[in-house]
């Protein structure tokens, strides 16, 4: 499945297995980093995971979308339901990240087993 807009195409088959990789890296950075904005952390995680599978136009659009992310405080409220979070909350988030990483590993194994990474 490919989506083309103004000559720029994105293949869902190329980026789909890397979505969980991006999400787990972003959440890990969010949990482990104090001070950097969610936008900066998302950009770093995107550059390390998904950007290589996207065209220049898509990469620019994604980075532009990241500017609209909430502040650290607002992000913590969205994740934990309050500005304050306990050690138990962080342990739960780390468990969620582990599950997402497991999903990525399983999806990647299926793609590898069926040679789906080679799809256009």
């Amino acid at each position: 499945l490919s989506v083309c807009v103004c000559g720029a195409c994105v293949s869902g088959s190329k980026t789909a297995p890397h979505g969980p990789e991006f999400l787990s890296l972003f959440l890990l950075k969010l949990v482990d980093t104090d001070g950097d904005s969610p936008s900066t952390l998302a950009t770093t995680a995107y550059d390390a995971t998904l950007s290589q599978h996207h065209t220049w136009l898509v990469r620019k659009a994604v980075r532009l979308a990241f500017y609209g992310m909430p502040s650290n405080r607002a992000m913590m409220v969205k994740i934990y339901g309050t500005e304050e979070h306990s050690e138990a909350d962080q342990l739960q988030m780390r468990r969620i990240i582990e599950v997402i990483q497991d999903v990525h590993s399983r999806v990647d194994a299926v793609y590898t087993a069926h040679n789906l990474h080679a799809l256009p």
Side-chain angles (χ1 to χ4, degrees), residues 51-120:
S51 69
Q52 62 194 353
H53 304 287
H54 292 155
T55 63
W56 178 87
L57 183 61
V58 172
R59 288 191 305 268
K60 294 300 177 187
V62 168
R63 285 186 178 90
L64 180 62
F66 287 155
Y67 284 114
M69 292 184 80
S71 67
N72 283 3
R73 179 176 293 157
M75 183 68 82
M76 291 301 117
V77 170
K78 288 186 181 294
I79 291 173
Y80 297 113
T82 178
E83 287 183 30
E84 301 298 321
H85 53 278
S86 67
E87 190 173 318
D89 292 333
Q90 286 198 335
L91 289 173
Q92 181 65 26
M93 179 57 73
R94 289 188 187 286
R95 177 66 186 125
I96 291 168
I97 292 166
E98 288 174 11
V99 170
I100 294 169
Q101 289 170 336
D102 184 51
V103 167
H104 173 255
S105 295
R106 290 172 186 235
V107 169
D108 188 60
V110 169
Y111 266 63
T112 300
H114 298 282
N115 199 28
L116 298 175
H117 289 295
L119 291 174

Side-chain angles (χ1 to χ4, degrees), residues 26 36-44 63 66-70 72 75:
F26 169 65
D36 285 337
S37 71
S39 174
T40 299
L41 300 175
T43 299
T44 302
R63 285 186 178 90
F66 287 155
Y67 284 114
M69 292 184 80
N72 283 3
M75 183 68 82

